[in-house]
Amino acid sequence: NATYEQLFGHLLAITSLPPATLQAWQRDQRDSWVDGRSRTGRSGSFRQQLELGCYPFLATAEPATLSRLADERIVLLENGYSLERRPLEFIAPSRVFVDLSQGAPPHAYTLRDAVFAFSRFKLHALFDCPRSPSLAQIVSWMDEMHATAGEAPLDAAQLRSAAALADLAGLRVFYEAGELPSAGLLIPDRSGRLRRAPNLLVDDAPWLDGRVDKSPSGHLPAVHPSLSSSAALRLGARRLSSAVQERPDAPLVAMAEERINEVLY
């Protein structure tokens, strides 16, 4: 019988192969186990090796034995099934969050993002996958994102992840589960660039449309619309309505009652 050390070595050898090699292996039907039964003379496709070989054996190990694999990229993402359309990718068990409703690749993934076999064999419990990212982790990931993007706008995938993390950070602050950095958390502005939350405004003043430049290229430092207003305010952003002063550009003239009725009714 194989030892756990041999199993770990075999698993790491498979998951470290280049995606092109794994894709070619997966397409080779001569190597597949027929209906999961006849295995004579076949090694099985790489997915079969994972789902019917490696993952079931991992499920027989003690959590302490598995701890050495917590940060190794051994969990196949569900999009790995669509070999022709999506890139093959493995993530570490420590990047899977059990209670997360929306992933934030490449930092955090939901249990649904992993192949079904990972949860079917209760590996998320054996690896003690965390329930949700901590505020400290979110701060660190946002800093990493900013270090990579610099002053350039985030791409579409990065923007989705940044907005998801910012919303989650807002919940963490609401439930007092951690502290924000003194300078404020980095969140996306309306142009898609990461800025400190206290330096941004939440657009809660629709009556200023057309009177204030709210375009992405305008000077107004507004929060990106993909981020919820409540989360942005919890993270330190200010309300636009409280940040502007409205002054009449001409003397105020009282309107006749008849004219008021015409306007209102």
Side-chain angles (χ1 to χ4, degrees):
N1 295 332
T3 65
Y4 285 121
E5 286 299 318
Q6 291 171 325
L7 171 62
F8 294 168
H10 180 64
L11 174 60
L12 292 173
I14 291 176
T15 57
S16 63
L17 289 172
T21 301
L22 291 174
Q23 289 171 337
W25 182 3
Q26 187 64 29
R27 294 191 191 99
D28 187 3
Q29 296 300 317
R30 295 170 300 175
D31 223 15
S32 298
W33 293 331
V34 180
D35 295 330
R37 298 184 182 89
S38 175
R39 307 185 182 188
T40 305
R42 298 181 176 90
S43 62
S45 67
F46 94 86
R47 287 202 325 244
Q48 289 175 330
Q49 285 271 338
L50 289 177
E51 297 177 331
L52 303 178
C54 297
Y55 289 166
F57 278 110
L58 287 181
T60 66
E62 294 293 329
T65 305
L66 295 177
S67 62
R68 57 166 288 192
L69 295 176
D71 294 316
E72 298 286 352
R73 294 176 178 269
I74 61 170
V75 182
L76 178 64
L77 291 182
E78 185 64 40
N79 62 28
Y81 279 92
S82 304
L83 295 178
E84 302 294 339
R85 296 173 294 169
R86 301 285 296 277
L88 250 176
E89 189 176 357
F90 292 92
I91 61 170
S94 59
R95 296 284 185 173
V96 178
F97 295 89
V98 178
D99 289 345
L100 199 62
S101 60
Q102 181 180 353
H107 306 290
Y109 297 85
T110 71
L111 194 55
R112 298 187 310 275
D113 292 327
V115 290
F116 177 65
F118 184 75
S119 58
R120 182 177 66 186
F121 292 110
K122 308 297 182 184
L123 292 178
H124 58 289
L126 292 173
F127 276 106
D128 195 20
C129 292
R131 301 179 70 88
S132 181
S134 67
L135 188 55
Q137 285 179 307
I138 296 172
V139 171
S140 173
W141 294 336
M142 288 299 209
D143 288 342
E144 286 180 28
M145 212 177 295
H146 184 253
T148 301
E151 294 303 310
L154 302 176
D155 62 33
Q158 291 173 325
L159 186 57
R160 284 193 298 271
S161 293
L165 291 175
D167 280 334
L168 183 58
L171 287 175
R172 286 291 191 184
V173 171
F174 179 74
Y175 289 109
E176 299 180 348
E179 293 186 4
L180 291 170
S182 57
L185 182 70
L186 288 161
I187 62 176
D189 68 7
R190 61 178 175 173
S191 68
R193 295 173 172 83
L194 289 175
R195 298 283 184 265
R196 298 290 175 185
N199 298 330
L200 296 177
L201 300 170
V202 172
D203 183 4
D204 65 338
W207 62 88
L208 294 178
D209 291 354
R211 300 164 59 195
V212 174
D213 184 4
K214 297 182 178 181
S215 65
S217 59
H219 68 280
L220 196 68
V223 171
H224 195 275
S226 65
L227 179 59
S228 72
S229 297
S230 58
L233 292 170
R234 289 168 184 162
L235 297 174
R238 295 180 299 155
R239 297 180 184 274
L240 175 59
S241 59
S242 65
V244 298
Q245 279 189 330
E246 297 186 74
R247 296 178 178 177
D249 55 5
L252 295 177
V253 178
M255 186 181 293
E257 183 178 348
E258 294 78 10
R259 178 58 181 156
I260 294 177
N261 290 333
E262 289 178 8
V263 173
L264 293 179
Y265 307 109

